[in-house]
Amino acid sequence: MKNMCRTNNHTSLLPESCNGHQLNHCKTVSCVNFGSTDTEHYVLQRNNPNKPILVCRECGAFPPIINNHDVIAEVMRLKQQQNSGLPACSHPDCENFGLPVLTHRHLYHAFGFSGDRQRYRCKCCQATFVDRWSGFNAKNQTQQKLLAMLFTGYSVRDICRRLSLNPKSFYDQLSHIASRCRRQLAMFDARLCKHSAHLSLASDISELQPKSDNGVQWIASCEARSGYVLAQDINYQATDPDSRSEHHDPYTNGTRFMAPPAARLAIVPTPKPQALLARIDAIYREVMSRPNLEDPLSDKARLNYPTKGCLIRPQYTVYAHYIHLQEMLEDNEELAIYMPQEPLLRSACISVFRERVKNKTIHPVYVETDPDWEHGQTAGKIDIVLMGWWRDRWAFTRHGDISKGICHLGGEKDNEAKWLAIAHHDVITDYQQRFQDQFSQLINEPRRKLRPGGLLPLMDIYRAWHNLCHQDKSGLTPAQKVGLISAPLTLEQLLS
């Protein structure tokens, strides 16, 4: 396709859809073209060949373009990573390929044992396989000690010395523990999604290693009332792809893989305003200055690209994250998603759930508060302010000098008091902060800053420990709060 300032070539206006997903459309909910994939409703602008954008003829919105094939490929990558080590059919031509037994029992027969481990047979291709984690864990005591020392701040060197392990054995044990944790979580995740017709989620995106500037972004979503973490993903792949691209071309498959970017001029950050309304307005201005408003990395002056593996453009991982949540929550009837003021989260959520947005069965909500705001307070006097280029309808309330603001991204009005009282994303933000505080020594290790792949098993372990073992001030774990278990799991039970 030729690079032109403007084109009406309808066959090349939108990137090709994939598996029924066309994520390029007007994302202004109040616009008549919202969710429309009719090319007559848009103009393609390519003033900058490296940054093509759609312009809605009705409202003038200009959402960046994304490659649908790469989003679906990223969904498959995340599923493969999350299901790694789980018992599933491994025949590549089988329709049950990669579907774990623990969440798809109707697709498999129990087929005897191999030693003390359960064997299964696929109903489709008749292939047999063994659940390697179903038998007795001979390393349970060693793994308990390893986790206890890891969670109490011991360095890898000290743990290896005390347990008589070499570094390779340490990381092998960590990978085995992570596989067992994924196995435990798979059952509880499926049960929560299946029996939650009405669910509230909280999402947030942050840097995995804030002091490294390596571009690894961490998106996580949890059940908002209990803090049960349902999904978490990062825009990093531990293996090197066939090719990478420095510039994002959404009309080329494989464009999600980032090449190390060229150096840019650093922009001196302006001091953040103290007042909540001013902070929100400043974020809108900052977002509009990004080369790609859906890519938090596009305006970074410096990026310490990992020496091993590959970065993935954050928008692809975030869109894939919400598609995975959509598949998990197929039985859900009413869903609320609370998030901080980040247009990437907004665009991905609205695009993936656009039919539910139209049907009013989902409530995406921006939430911003002053640090000392206490969750659960009833709203006082409510002020409505239209903000940003999109004229988003924000509702603000105050208690003394402490303020809170919400914006219902689905366009709902006249229910601001409810959302001001219940909407919050503190639980997922606190979860991410606790992980970074808990393992700061490992996260900030100089060598680890450019090799983040070693943190992947630790993230799976921490999610399982947080959901099933960690008790809050009331003595309950997140899994207890949502009724999945009656008592906290011990490390021995977690690793059995």
Side-chain angles (χ1 to χ4, degrees), residues 58-115:
E58 182 68 24
C59 68
F62 45 91
I65 303 177
I66 194 167
N67 184 293
N68 301 296
H69 284 269
D70 271 26
V71 172
I72 301 306
E74 182 68 0
V75 173
M76 299 305 294
R77 184 189 74 85
L78 296 182
K79 284 183 179 180
Q80 185 177 7
Q81 182 174 290
Q82 292 158 5
N83 294 336
S84 176
L86 299 184
C89 181
S90 58
H91 195 290
D93 297 326
C94 178
E95 62 184 33
N96 296 340
F97 173 69
L99 298 178
V101 173
L102 301 172
T103 54
H104 298 80
R105 290 190 179 275
H106 60 287
L107 302 179
Y108 303 96
H109 289 296
F111 198 62
F113 291 86
S114 176

Short mmCIF file of all heavy atoms in Angstrom, two decimals, residues 58-115:
data_model
loop_
_atom_site.label_atom_id
_atom_site.label_comp_id
_atom_site.label_asym_id
_atom_site.label_seq_id
_atom_site.Cartn_x
_atom_site.Cartn_y
_atom_site.Cartn_z
N GLU A 58 -17.71 11.41 11.77
CA GLU A 58 -18.81 11.97 12.56
C GLU A 58 -18.31 12.83 13.71
O GLU A 58 -18.73 13.97 13.88
CB GLU A 58 -19.68 10.83 13.10
CG GLU A 58 -20.89 11.29 13.90
CD GLU A 58 -21.92 12.00 13.05
OE1 GLU A 58 -21.97 11.77 11.82
OE2 GLU A 58 -22.69 12.82 13.62
N CYS A 59 -17.39 12.27 14.55
CA CYS A 59 -16.98 12.98 15.77
C CYS A 59 -15.56 13.51 15.71
O CYS A 59 -15.14 14.26 16.60
CB CYS A 59 -17.14 12.07 17.00
SG CYS A 59 -15.99 10.66 17.04
N GLY A 60 -14.78 13.10 14.69
CA GLY A 60 -13.42 13.58 14.57
C GLY A 60 -12.41 12.85 15.43
O GLY A 60 -11.25 13.25 15.48
N ALA A 61 -12.82 11.80 16.14
CA ALA A 61 -11.88 11.03 16.97
C ALA A 61 -10.83 10.38 16.07
O ALA A 61 -11.09 10.06 14.91
CB ALA A 61 -12.63 9.98 17.77
N PHE A 62 -9.63 10.17 16.65
CA PHE A 62 -8.52 9.68 15.84
C PHE A 62 -7.80 8.52 16.55
O PHE A 62 -6.66 8.66 16.97
CB PHE A 62 -7.53 10.82 15.55
CG PHE A 62 -7.23 11.67 16.75
CD1 PHE A 62 -6.16 11.39 17.59
CD2 PHE A 62 -8.03 12.76 17.05
CE1 PHE A 62 -5.90 12.17 18.70
CE2 PHE A 62 -7.77 13.55 18.16
CZ PHE A 62 -6.70 13.25 18.99
N PRO A 63 -8.45 7.38 16.70
CA PRO A 63 -7.80 6.25 17.40
C PRO A 63 -6.64 5.70 16.58
O PRO A 63 -6.74 5.57 15.35
CB PRO A 63 -8.93 5.22 17.52
CG PRO A 63 -9.86 5.55 16.40
CD PRO A 63 -9.81 7.03 16.25
N PRO A 64 -5.52 5.36 17.23
CA PRO A 64 -4.42 4.71 16.51
C PRO A 64 -4.88 3.35 15.96
O PRO A 64 -5.80 2.72 16.50
CB PRO A 64 -3.35 4.53 17.58
CG PRO A 64 -3.70 5.51 18.65
CD PRO A 64 -5.19 5.61 18.63
N ILE A 65 -4.22 2.90 14.91
CA ILE A 65 -4.58 1.63 14.27
C ILE A 65 -3.74 0.51 14.87
O ILE A 65 -2.56 0.70 15.22
CB ILE A 65 -4.36 1.71 12.75
CG1 ILE A 65 -5.18 2.87 12.18
CG2 ILE A 65 -4.77 0.42 12.07
CD1 ILE A 65 -4.98 3.09 10.69
N ILE A 66 -4.35 -0.67 14.99
CA ILE A 66 -3.68 -1.82 15.58
C ILE A 66 -3.86 -3.02 14.66
O ILE A 66 -4.86 -3.12 13.94
CB ILE A 66 -4.24 -2.10 17.00
CG1 ILE A 66 -3.35 -3.05 17.78
CG2 ILE A 66 -5.67 -2.62 16.93
CD1 ILE A 66 -3.68 -3.10 19.25
N ASN A 67 -2.89 -3.93 14.64
CA ASN A 67 -2.93 -5.11 13.78
C ASN A 67 -3.72 -6.22 14.48
O ASN A 67 -3.30 -6.70 15.55
CB ASN A 67 -1.51 -5.57 13.47
CG ASN A 67 -1.47 -6.74 12.49
OD1 ASN A 67 -1.91 -7.83 12.80
ND2 ASN A 67 -0.94 -6.49 11.30
N ASN A 68 -4.85 -6.62 13.90
CA ASN A 68 -5.71 -7.62 14.53
C ASN A 68 -5.05 -8.99 14.63
O ASN A 68 -5.20 -9.69 15.64
CB ASN A 68 -7.03 -7.74 13.75
CG ASN A 68 -7.79 -6.43 13.67
OD1 ASN A 68 -8.22 -5.90 14.68
ND2 ASN A 68 -7.94 -5.90 12.46
N HIS A 69 -4.29 -9.38 13.60
CA HIS A 69 -3.61 -10.68 13.64
C HIS A 69 -2.60 -10.73 14.78
O HIS A 69 -2.46 -11.77 15.45
CB HIS A 69 -2.92 -10.95 12.30
CG HIS A 69 -3.86 -11.35 11.21
ND1 HIS A 69 -4.17 -12.66 10.94
CD2 HIS A 69 -4.57 -10.61 10.32
CE1 HIS A 69 -5.03 -12.72 9.94
NE2 HIS A 69 -5.28 -11.48 9.54
N ASP A 70 -1.90 -9.63 15.00
CA ASP A 70 -0.90 -9.62 16.07
C ASP A 70 -1.55 -9.66 17.44
O ASP A 70 -0.99 -10.24 18.38
CB ASP A 70 -0.01 -8.37 15.94
CG ASP A 70 1.19 -8.62 15.05
OD1 ASP A 70 1.10 -9.51 14.18
OD2 ASP A 70 2.23 -7.96 15.23
N VAL A 71 -2.73 -9.05 17.58
CA VAL A 71 -3.44 -9.12 18.86
C VAL A 71 -3.82 -10.58 19.17
O VAL A 71 -3.61 -11.06 20.29
CB VAL A 71 -4.69 -8.23 18.85
CG1 VAL A 71 -5.52 -8.47 20.11
CG2 VAL A 71 -4.30 -6.77 18.76
N ILE A 72 -4.37 -11.28 18.18
CA ILE A 72 -4.77 -12.67 18.40
C ILE A 72 -3.54 -13.55 18.63
O ILE A 72 -3.57 -14.47 19.46
CB ILE A 72 -5.60 -13.19 17.20
CG1 ILE A 72 -6.85 -12.32 17.01
CG2 ILE A 72 -5.99 -14.65 17.41
CD1 ILE A 72 -7.71 -12.19 18.25
N ALA A 73 -2.45 -13.27 17.93
CA ALA A 73 -1.21 -14.02 18.17
C ALA A 73 -0.71 -13.78 19.59
O ALA A 73 -0.19 -14.69 20.25
CB ALA A 73 -0.14 -13.60 17.16
N GLU A 74 -0.89 -12.57 20.08
CA GLU A 74 -0.49 -12.26 21.45
C GLU A 74 -1.40 -12.97 22.46
O GLU A 74 -0.94 -13.43 23.51
CB GLU A 74 -0.53 -10.75 21.68
CG GLU A 74 -0.10 -10.29 23.04
CD GLU A 74 1.38 -10.49 23.35
OE1 GLU A 74 2.10 -11.01 22.47
OE2 GLU A 74 1.81 -10.15 24.46
N VAL A 75 -2.69 -13.09 22.14
CA VAL A 75 -3.61 -13.85 23.00
C VAL A 75 -3.11 -15.30 23.11
O VAL A 75 -3.07 -15.87 24.22
CB VAL A 75 -5.04 -13.83 22.44
CG1 VAL A 75 -5.94 -14.78 23.24
CG2 VAL A 75 -5.61 -12.43 22.47
N MET A 76 -2.73 -15.89 21.99
CA MET A 76 -2.25 -17.27 22.01
C MET A 76 -0.95 -17.38 22.81
O MET A 76 -0.74 -18.36 23.53
CB MET A 76 -2.03 -17.76 20.56
CG MET A 76 -3.28 -17.77 19.71
SD MET A 76 -4.65 -18.72 20.46
CE MET A 76 -3.92 -20.37 20.41
N ARG A 77 -0.08 -16.39 22.69
CA ARG A 77 1.18 -16.42 23.45
C ARG A 77 0.90 -16.38 24.95
O ARG A 77 1.49 -17.14 25.73
CB ARG A 77 2.07 -15.24 23.06
CG ARG A 77 3.44 -15.24 23.75
CD ARG A 77 4.19 -13.96 23.51
NE ARG A 77 3.66 -12.84 24.27
CZ ARG A 77 3.99 -12.57 25.53
NH1 ARG A 77 4.84 -13.34 26.18
NH2 ARG A 77 3.47 -11.53 26.14
N LEU A 78 -0.01 -15.49 25.36
CA LEU A 78 -0.32 -15.38 26.78
C LEU A 78 -0.96 -16.66 27.31
O LEU A 78 -0.66 -17.10 28.42
CB LEU A 78 -1.25 -14.19 27.02
CG LEU A 78 -0.68 -12.80 26.68
CD1 LEU A 78 -1.70 -11.71 27.01
CD2 LEU A 78 0.63 -12.55 27.39
N LYS A 79 -1.86 -17.25 26.53
CA LYS A 79 -2.49 -18.51 26.96
C LYS A 79 -1.45 -19.61 27.10
O LYS A 79 -1.47 -20.38 28.07
CB LYS A 79 -3.56 -18.93 25.94
CG LYS A 79 -4.85 -18.14 26.01
CD LYS A 79 -5.84 -18.71 25.02
CE LYS A 79 -7.16 -17.98 25.06
NZ LYS A 79 -8.12 -18.53 24.08
N GLN A 80 -0.56 -19.69 26.13
CA GLN A 80 0.48 -20.72 26.18
C GLN A 80 1.36 -20.54 27.40
O GLN A 80 1.74 -21.51 28.07
CB GLN A 80 1.32 -20.67 24.90
CG GLN A 80 2.35 -21.79 24.80
CD GLN A 80 3.11 -21.74 23.48
OE1 GLN A 80 2.96 -20.80 22.70
NE2 GLN A 80 3.90 -22.76 23.23
N GLN A 81 1.66 -19.30 27.72
CA GLN A 81 2.50 -19.02 28.89
C GLN A 81 1.78 -19.36 30.18
O GLN A 81 2.36 -19.94 31.10
CB GLN A 81 2.89 -17.54 28.87
CG GLN A 81 3.80 -17.10 29.99
CD GLN A 81 4.25 -15.66 29.81
OE1 GLN A 81 5.03 -15.35 28.92
NE2 GLN A 81 3.75 -14.77 30.64
N GLN A 82 0.48 -19.01 30.26
CA GLN A 82 -0.29 -19.27 31.47
C GLN A 82 -0.60 -20.75 31.66
O GLN A 82 -0.76 -21.22 32.79
CB GLN A 82 -1.58 -18.45 31.45
CG GLN A 82 -1.35 -16.96 31.57
CD GLN A 82 -2.49 -16.13 31.02
OE1 GLN A 82 -3.53 -16.67 30.62
NE2 GLN A 82 -2.32 -14.82 30.98
N ASN A 83 -0.68 -21.50 30.56
CA ASN A 83 -0.99 -22.93 30.63
C ASN A 83 0.26 -23.79 30.61
O ASN A 83 0.16 -25.02 30.55
CB ASN A 83 -1.90 -23.33 29.47
CG ASN A 83 -3.27 -22.69 29.56
OD1 ASN A 83 -3.72 -22.31 30.64
ND2 ASN A 83 -3.94 -22.55 28.43
N SER A 84 1.43 -23.16 30.65
CA SER A 84 2.68 -23.91 30.59
C SER A 84 2.77 -24.88 31.77
O SER A 84 2.61 -24.50 32.93
CB SER A 84 3.87 -22.94 30.63
OG SER A 84 5.08 -23.64 30.68
N GLY A 85 3.01 -26.15 31.46
CA GLY A 85 3.13 -27.17 32.49
C GLY A 85 1.83 -27.81 32.89
O GLY A 85 1.83 -28.81 33.63
N LEU A 86 0.68 -27.27 32.45
CA LEU A 86 -0.61 -27.87 32.80
C LEU A 86 -0.89 -29.05 31.88
O LEU A 86 -0.55 -29.02 30.69
CB LEU A 86 -1.73 -26.84 32.67
CG LEU A 86 -1.64 -25.59 33.56
CD1 LEU A 86 -2.88 -24.73 33.37
CD2 LEU A 86 -1.50 -25.99 35.02
N PRO A 87 -1.52 -30.11 32.40
CA PRO A 87 -1.81 -31.28 31.56
C PRO A 87 -2.84 -30.94 30.49
O PRO A 87 -3.93 -30.44 30.78
CB PRO A 87 -2.37 -32.30 32.57
CG PRO A 87 -2.91 -31.47 33.69
CD PRO A 87 -2.00 -30.28 33.78
N ALA A 88 -2.48 -31.19 29.23
CA ALA A 88 -3.36 -30.88 28.10
C ALA A 88 -2.92 -31.69 26.91
O ALA A 88 -1.79 -32.20 26.86
CB ALA A 88 -3.32 -29.38 27.78
N CYS A 89 -3.82 -31.82 25.93
CA CYS A 89 -3.47 -32.53 24.70
C CYS A 89 -2.35 -31.76 23.98
O CYS A 89 -2.42 -30.55 23.81
CB CYS A 89 -4.69 -32.64 23.79
SG CYS A 89 -4.36 -33.51 22.23
N SER A 90 -1.32 -32.48 23.57
CA SER A 90 -0.16 -31.85 22.93
C SER A 90 -0.10 -32.13 21.43
O SER A 90 0.89 -31.78 20.79
CB SER A 90 1.13 -32.34 23.59
OG SER A 90 1.24 -33.76 23.50
N HIS A 91 -1.17 -32.74 20.87
CA HIS A 91 -1.18 -33.02 19.44
C HIS A 91 -1.53 -31.74 18.68
O HIS A 91 -2.64 -31.21 18.84
CB HIS A 91 -2.20 -34.12 19.12
CG HIS A 91 -2.03 -34.72 17.76
ND1 HIS A 91 -2.31 -34.04 16.60
CD2 HIS A 91 -1.58 -35.94 17.37
CE1 HIS A 91 -2.07 -34.81 15.56
NE2 HIS A 91 -1.62 -35.98 16.01
N PRO A 92 -0.64 -31.19 17.86
CA PRO A 92 -0.87 -29.87 17.25
C PRO A 92 -2.06 -29.80 16.32
O PRO A 92 -2.62 -28.74 16.10
CB PRO A 92 0.45 -29.59 16.50
CG PRO A 92 1.09 -30.93 16.31
CD PRO A 92 0.68 -31.76 17.47
N ASP A 93 -2.48 -30.94 15.75
CA ASP A 93 -3.61 -30.94 14.81
C ASP A 93 -4.95 -31.22 15.49
O ASP A 93 -5.99 -31.26 14.82
CB ASP A 93 -3.37 -31.97 13.70
CG ASP A 93 -2.15 -31.64 12.86
OD1 ASP A 93 -1.88 -30.44 12.67
OD2 ASP A 93 -1.46 -32.58 12.40
N CYS A 94 -4.93 -31.42 16.79
CA CYS A 94 -6.16 -31.76 17.51
C CYS A 94 -6.89 -30.48 17.92
O CYS A 94 -6.26 -29.48 18.28
CB CYS A 94 -5.82 -32.58 18.75
SG CYS A 94 -7.27 -33.01 19.76
N GLU A 95 -8.22 -30.51 17.88
CA GLU A 95 -8.99 -29.33 18.25
C GLU A 95 -8.93 -29.05 19.75
O GLU A 95 -9.28 -27.96 20.21
CB GLU A 95 -10.45 -29.47 17.82
CG GLU A 95 -11.19 -30.63 18.45
CD GLU A 95 -12.61 -30.78 17.92
OE1 GLU A 95 -12.82 -30.48 16.73
OE2 GLU A 95 -13.49 -31.21 18.70
N ASN A 96 -8.47 -30.03 20.54
CA ASN A 96 -8.31 -29.84 21.99
C ASN A 96 -6.88 -29.43 22.36
O ASN A 96 -6.54 -29.37 23.54
CB ASN A 96 -8.65 -31.13 22.74
CG ASN A 96 -10.11 -31.52 22.58
OD1 ASN A 96 -10.95 -30.68 22.22
ND2 ASN A 96 -10.42 -32.77 22.82
N PHE A 97 -6.06 -29.16 21.36
CA PHE A 97 -4.66 -28.83 21.60
C PHE A 97 -4.52 -27.65 22.57
O PHE A 97 -5.11 -26.58 22.37
CB PHE A 97 -3.96 -28.47 20.29
CG PHE A 97 -2.56 -27.97 20.45
CD1 PHE A 97 -1.55 -28.82 20.85
CD2 PHE A 97 -2.24 -26.64 20.20
CE1 PHE A 97 -0.25 -28.38 20.99
CE2 PHE A 97 -0.95 -26.16 20.35
CZ PHE A 97 0.05 -27.04 20.75
N GLY A 98 -3.76 -27.89 23.65
CA GLY A 98 -3.47 -26.83 24.61
C GLY A 98 -4.56 -26.53 25.61
O GLY A 98 -4.37 -25.67 26.48
N LEU A 99 -5.72 -27.22 25.54
CA LEU A 99 -6.81 -26.96 26.48
C LEU A 99 -6.59 -27.82 27.73
O LEU A 99 -6.66 -29.05 27.66
CB LEU A 99 -8.17 -27.29 25.85
CG LEU A 99 -8.54 -26.47 24.61
CD1 LEU A 99 -9.87 -26.93 24.05
CD2 LEU A 99 -8.57 -24.98 24.95
N PRO A 100 -6.33 -27.21 28.88
CA PRO A 100 -5.97 -27.98 30.08
C PRO A 100 -7.10 -28.87 30.58
O PRO A 100 -8.28 -28.51 30.51
CB PRO A 100 -5.64 -26.89 31.11
CG PRO A 100 -5.39 -25.66 30.32
CD PRO A 100 -6.25 -25.76 29.11
N VAL A 101 -6.73 -30.01 31.11
CA VAL A 101 -7.70 -30.93 31.69
C VAL A 101 -8.43 -30.28 32.86
O VAL A 101 -9.64 -30.46 33.04
CB VAL A 101 -6.98 -32.22 32.19
CG1 VAL A 101 -7.95 -33.11 32.95
CG2 VAL A 101 -6.37 -32.98 31.03
N LEU A 102 -7.72 -29.50 33.65
CA LEU A 102 -8.29 -28.95 34.87
C LEU A 102 -9.48 -28.04 34.61
O LEU A 102 -10.37 -27.92 35.46
CB LEU A 102 -7.21 -28.17 35.63
CG LEU A 102 -5.97 -29.00 36.03
CD1 LEU A 102 -4.89 -28.11 36.58
CD2 LEU A 102 -6.35 -30.06 37.05
N THR A 103 -9.52 -27.41 33.45
CA THR A 103 -10.63 -26.51 33.13
C THR A 103 -11.50 -27.01 31.99
O THR A 103 -12.50 -26.37 31.65
CB THR A 103 -10.09 -25.11 32.77
OG1 THR A 103 -9.12 -25.23 31.72
CG2 THR A 103 -9.42 -24.47 33.99
N HIS A 104 -11.12 -28.14 31.37
CA HIS A 104 -11.90 -28.69 30.25
C HIS A 104 -12.02 -30.22 30.43
O HIS A 104 -11.68 -31.00 29.55
CB HIS A 104 -11.22 -28.39 28.91
CG HIS A 104 -11.11 -26.93 28.61
ND1 HIS A 104 -10.13 -26.13 29.14
CD2 HIS A 104 -11.88 -26.11 27.83
CE1 HIS A 104 -10.27 -24.90 28.70
NE2 HIS A 104 -11.32 -24.85 27.92
N ARG A 105 -12.50 -30.64 31.59
CA ARG A 105 -12.56 -32.07 31.91
C ARG A 105 -13.46 -32.85 30.94
O ARG A 105 -13.24 -34.05 30.72
CB ARG A 105 -13.06 -32.27 33.34
CG ARG A 105 -12.04 -31.83 34.39
CD ARG A 105 -12.46 -32.26 35.79
NE ARG A 105 -11.48 -31.86 36.78
CZ ARG A 105 -10.40 -32.55 37.10
NH1 ARG A 105 -10.16 -33.70 36.49
NH2 ARG A 105 -9.56 -32.13 38.02
N HIS A 106 -14.45 -32.19 30.35
CA HIS A 106 -15.36 -32.88 29.45
C HIS A 106 -14.68 -33.32 28.14
O HIS A 106 -15.24 -34.11 27.38
CB HIS A 106 -16.55 -31.98 29.12
CG HIS A 106 -16.18 -30.70 28.44
ND1 HIS A 106 -15.56 -29.66 29.10
CD2 HIS A 106 -16.31 -30.29 27.15
CE1 HIS A 106 -15.34 -28.66 28.26
NE2 HIS A 106 -15.79 -29.02 27.07
N LEU A 107 -13.47 -32.83 27.89
CA LEU A 107 -12.77 -33.18 26.65
C LEU A 107 -11.85 -34.37 26.80
O LEU A 107 -11.26 -34.82 25.83
CB LEU A 107 -11.95 -31.97 26.17
CG LEU A 107 -12.72 -30.66 25.91
CD1 LEU A 107 -11.76 -29.57 25.48
CD2 LEU A 107 -13.78 -30.89 24.84
N TYR A 108 -11.73 -34.91 28.03
CA TYR A 108 -10.75 -35.97 28.29
C TYR A 108 -11.35 -37.08 29.13
O TYR A 108 -12.29 -36.88 29.89
CB TYR A 108 -9.53 -35.38 29.02
CG TYR A 108 -8.85 -34.25 28.27
CD1 TYR A 108 -9.14 -32.92 28.57
CD2 TYR A 108 -7.93 -34.50 27.26
CE1 TYR A 108 -8.53 -31.87 27.89
CE2 TYR A 108 -7.30 -33.47 26.58
CZ TYR A 108 -7.62 -32.15 26.90
OH TYR A 108 -7.01 -31.13 26.22
N HIS A 109 -10.75 -38.28 28.99
CA HIS A 109 -11.05 -39.43 29.85
C HIS A 109 -9.90 -39.62 30.82
O HIS A 109 -8.73 -39.49 30.45
CB HIS A 109 -11.17 -40.72 29.03
CG HIS A 109 -12.40 -40.80 28.18
ND1 HIS A 109 -13.67 -40.83 28.70
CD2 HIS A 109 -12.53 -40.89 26.83
CE1 HIS A 109 -14.55 -40.93 27.71
NE2 HIS A 109 -13.88 -40.96 26.56
N ALA A 110 -10.22 -39.96 32.09
CA ALA A 110 -9.18 -40.46 32.98
C ALA A 110 -8.77 -41.83 32.46
O ALA A 110 -9.62 -42.66 32.14
CB ALA A 110 -9.70 -40.55 34.41
N PHE A 111 -7.48 -42.09 32.35
CA PHE A 111 -7.00 -43.29 31.64
C PHE A 111 -5.90 -43.98 32.45
O PHE A 111 -4.77 -44.19 31.99
CB PHE A 111 -6.47 -42.88 30.26
CG PHE A 111 -6.34 -44.00 29.28
CD1 PHE A 111 -7.45 -44.73 28.87
CD2 PHE A 111 -5.11 -44.35 28.75
CE1 PHE A 111 -7.33 -45.77 27.95
CE2 PHE A 111 -4.97 -45.38 27.84
CZ PHE A 111 -6.08 -46.09 27.43
N GLY A 112 -6.22 -44.27 33.72
CA GLY A 112 -5.28 -45.00 34.55
C GLY A 112 -4.19 -44.10 35.14
O GLY A 112 -4.32 -42.88 35.21
N PHE A 113 -3.10 -44.75 35.54
CA PHE A 113 -2.01 -44.04 36.21
C PHE A 113 -0.68 -44.43 35.59
O PHE A 113 -0.52 -45.51 35.03
CB PHE A 113 -1.99 -44.37 37.71
CG PHE A 113 -3.16 -43.79 38.46
CD1 PHE A 113 -4.36 -44.48 38.53
CD2 PHE A 113 -3.07 -42.56 39.09
CE1 PHE A 113 -5.44 -43.96 39.21
CE2 PHE A 113 -4.14 -42.03 39.77
CZ PHE A 113 -5.33 -42.72 39.84
N SER A 114 0.27 -43.52 35.74
CA SER A 114 1.66 -43.81 35.43
C SER A 114 2.43 -43.61 36.73
O SER A 114 2.73 -42.48 37.11
CB SER A 114 2.19 -42.86 34.35
OG SER A 114 3.57 -43.07 34.12
N GLY A 115 2.72 -44.71 37.41
CA GLY A 115 3.23 -44.61 38.78
C GLY A 115 2.11 -44.08 39.66
O GLY A 115 1.02 -44.65 39.71
#
